[in-house]
Amino acid sequence: TAIWHIVEIWADDKSEERWLYTESWIKDTPQPYIQRISRVVANPDGTITTQRFTIPEPARFVGAWQDPAKLAALKPAELTAIPGCDTMVVRAGKDRFEGGTAGTGCRNRYKNADYAISRITLGPDGMSNWDRGFRENGEQVWGPVAGGYRFRRADAPAGCNAPVRMLVYGEVQDRAGFLRYVKAIRDSGLYERTGGYYEAMTPALEVFEGSPPPTRGVVISRFPCIEAARSFWNSPEYREIVKLRAGIATFEVLVLPVPPLPRYVAD
C-alpha cells in the first residue's frame, strides 16, 4: 500500500502560485521513497502547471507533512528543478482534472530507463498517478502497463477516478416530444451533481459508412467512474425524467471503460 502525504507550505494568499510538499511512503517501511516540493501555478488559459523540485538533504525534513514549520527555513532558491518533468492538467469535468508530462524530456535513469512519462487524474475523492519509464526505443522498463495507481483520499468513502463513457444509441420517433426529456435532464442538474458531461451527440457531422435513418440518436457522456454513472442512471430524479420519453423513443445504453491514452498521444 502506498500512502502520499501532501501539505501546502510557504502559504501566501497574495501570490498566484502555491507550493506543496509531498512525502510518499510504502506502508510499514522506515522512510519515505519520495520527498518532493512542487510549485503549482494556475495559468490564464485555465490550465494548471506543476513544476517539481528535489530537496537538499531531504532526510532532515521527514515528517514535515505533519509539521510544515520544519520547512520554514528552506527557501525556493535552495531547491533543484527536475528538468522536463513539469506536468500540466486541464479541467475535464466538474471537480476533475487530467493531464501529465509532455514528450520525452523528463529524463530518468531508474532501472536503466532513459525518460519517464507521467499521467495524472485528479478528482474530489482522490487521484490516479501513472508513472512509467522507457528506453529511447520506446520499450517500457518500469511502471504499470495497463493503468495508473489509484490513491483515495483518507477521508473519502471510496475512490472515483476510473472514468467511463455512457453510450446512448437509439431511435427517436417524436423529436418535439423528446425535447421535453432533454430539457428536463438539463434543468435537473444531474450531470453537475454526478460529475458527468456530454462528449458528443447527434446530428452527425459526416457519415463514413452505412445509412443511419433520420430517427437515429447517439449521445456519449463521460463520468468520473462507474459509480457516478450508476448514481445518475438510478437516481429518483432520472427515474421520473425517463418517463418523458416513454413511447416516443427506444434506446440501448452501454457504459464503457475509458482506456488509457496510447503512448503516441500521451507523448
Side-chain angles (χ1 to χ4, degrees), residues 1 36 59 74 118 131 143 147 153 171 176 190 198 253-254:
T1 300
R36 183 176 293 157
L74 185 66
S118 180
D131 291 344
R153 275 179 44 179
E171 307 291 334
L190 275 171
Y198 294 118
V253 181
L254 301 89

Side-chain angles (χ1 to χ4, degrees), residues 225-260:
C225 60
I226 183 65
E227 291 80 9
R230 289 172 180 154
S231 178
F232 173 96
W233 190 258
N234 297 318
S235 67
E237 297 98 322
Y238 185 71
R239 290 299 96 203
E240 285 298 314
I241 292 171
V242 78
K243 296 175 183 178
L244 295 175
R245 61 174 171 86
I248 63 172
T250 56
F251 285 100
E252 294 176 344
V253 181
L254 301 89
V255 178
L256 309 174
V258 176

Side-chain angles (χ1 to χ4, degrees), residues 143-193:
V145 175
Y149 294 109
R150 298 175 187 173
F151 291 86
R152 180 173 58 85
R153 275 179 44 179
D155 59 351
C160 187
N161 54 11
V164 297
R165 288 188 173 94
M166 185 168 70
L167 174 63
V168 181
Y169 176 91
E171 307 291 334
V172 178
Q173 289 79 38
D174 181 352
R175 290 282 179 183
F178 190 73
L179 288 177
R180 292 193 293 271
Y181 163 80
V182 174
K183 182 178 184 299
I185 293 179
R186 183 189 64 203
D187 295 344
S188 71
L190 275 171
Y191 272 109
E192 289 86 346
R193 292 204 301 273

